[in-house]
């Protein structure tokens, strides 16, 4: 009597956001989550990180994980080959467009505080006057005036408002410049502007094509509205218990929070 061949993994690609999803406090990944991902990979599934952070602000996390695959960074603007240390794909944002969009938003709601992620493997995050960095442990460079933000190529603009909350700022910005740029909320005090057509789904689709996997074989994990396009592209979207209500509304299921190993709970169920 011959034994049955091993069954195929339920998903071929596991796409995970970082902040609020895979990462716990202090940019750490729990031993349980690490083991669950390793078990899934042992069945043949591939893991890909899909994050709003640009490469310079995520490389230390990849190194700590021993991660050598592709990573979608910069909110879909970058596809990074961690093993070879170079960009396979990168999209710049026209600085004139960024400046025009900011001007239109400010004409509607008054002064906004702005920062930019410069483009490139070793580029800086520049912070303009008033901007409060939500992740103070990440490297930044503060500039004295708005014009300094446009000193070199960028891939996105980050916005804050002294009075409006993230949801209000996102709604206003979309209403004013949504026809010009992609407006998304990526986290607390993190509303972002990028070129139209650039989001986590666009970057993930490019990376998945390189890996030979389609959306129908992908499970995605996230916690914020910037993960909505990724959920729409993937076959199955899992929101964390701490996720924004807009993402929970479109998720196929909700797991535990990032601090309670929500990703591991789902992967252990699916991959054993």
């Amino acid at each position: 009597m011959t034994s049955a061949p091993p069954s195929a993994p339920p998903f071929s690609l596991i796409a995970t956001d970082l902040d609020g999803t895979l990462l716990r406090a202090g940019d750490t990944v729990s031993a349980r989550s690490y083991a669950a991902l390793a078990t899934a990979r042992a069945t043949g599934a591939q893991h890909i990180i899909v994050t709003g952070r640009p490469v310079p602000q995520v490389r230390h996390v990849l190194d700590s994980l021993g991660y050598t695959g592709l990573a979608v960074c910069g909110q879909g603007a970058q596809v990074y080959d961690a093993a070879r240390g170079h960009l396979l794909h990168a999209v710049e944002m026209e600085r004139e467009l960024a400046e025009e969009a900011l001007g239109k938003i400010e004409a509607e709601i008054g002064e906004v505080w702005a920062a930019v992620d410069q483009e490139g493997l070793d580029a800086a995050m520049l912070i303009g006057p008033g901007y409060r960095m939500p992740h103070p442990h990440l490297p930044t460079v503060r500039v004295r005036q708005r014009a300094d933000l446009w000193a070199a190529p960028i891939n996105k603009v980050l916005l804050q408002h002294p009075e409006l909350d993230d949801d209000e700022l996102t709604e206003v910005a979309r209403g004013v410049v949504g026809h010009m740029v992609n407006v998304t909320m990526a986290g607390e005090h993190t509303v972002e502007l990028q070129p139209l057509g650039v989001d986590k789904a666009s970057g993930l689709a490019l990376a998945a094509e390189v890996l030979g996997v389609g959306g129908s074989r992908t499970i995605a994990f996230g916690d914020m509205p910037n993960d909505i396009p990724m959920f729409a592209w993937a076959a199955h979207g899992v929101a964390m218990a701490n996720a924004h209500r807009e993402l929970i509304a479109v998720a196929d299921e909700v797991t535990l929070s990032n601090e309670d190993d929500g990703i591991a709970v789902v992967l252990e169920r699916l991959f054993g």
Side-chain angles (χ1 to χ4, degrees), residues 128-196:
Y131 191 90
R132 299 163 297 180
M133 181 60 180
H135 301 289
H137 61 286
L138 296 177
T140 59
V141 176
R142 188 166 291 279
V143 299
R144 292 186 176 184
Q145 55 187 359
R146 173 76 58 84
D148 295 334
L149 297 178
W150 322 123
I154 65 172
N155 61 45
K156 66 180 176 182
V157 180
L158 302 92
L159 304 180
Q160 295 171 355
H161 191 273
E163 297 176 2
L164 299 180
D165 65 24
D166 301 326
D167 292 296
E168 292 168 334
L169 179 56
T170 301
E171 182 179 359
V172 170
R174 281 185 181 150
V176 175
V177 299
H179 63 291
M180 299 170 53
V181 295
N182 182 40
V183 181
T184 189
M185 186 201 306
E188 186 178 9
H189 307 309
T190 311
V191 177
E192 301 183 356
L193 310 180
Q194 288 189 280
L196 289 173

Side-chain angles (χ1 to χ4, degrees), residues 227-253:
D227 295 312
I228 291 175
M230 179 169 67
F231 277 25
W233 183 84
H236 195 77
V238 183
M240 314 306 289
N242 49 289
H244 191 280
R245 64 182 183 280
E246 291 182 10
L247 187 69
I248 289 177
V250 301
D252 295 297
E253 70 172 291

Side-chain angles (χ1 to χ4, degrees), residues 110-144:
E111 182 185 16
V112 297
W113 301 329
V116 300
D117 283 332
Q118 293 183 319
E119 179 52 49
L121 288 177
D122 298 304
M125 180 180 184
L126 305 184
I127 293 179
Y131 191 90
R132 299 163 297 180
M133 181 60 180
H135 301 289
H137 61 286
L138 296 177
T140 59
V141 176
R142 188 166 291 279
V143 299
R144 292 186 176 184

Side-chain angles (χ1 to χ4, degrees), residues 21-35:
T21 303
L22 179 62
L23 296 183
R24 301 191 300 178
D27 278 4
T28 60
V29 176
S30 74
R32 182 180 178 186
S33 292
Y34 192 91

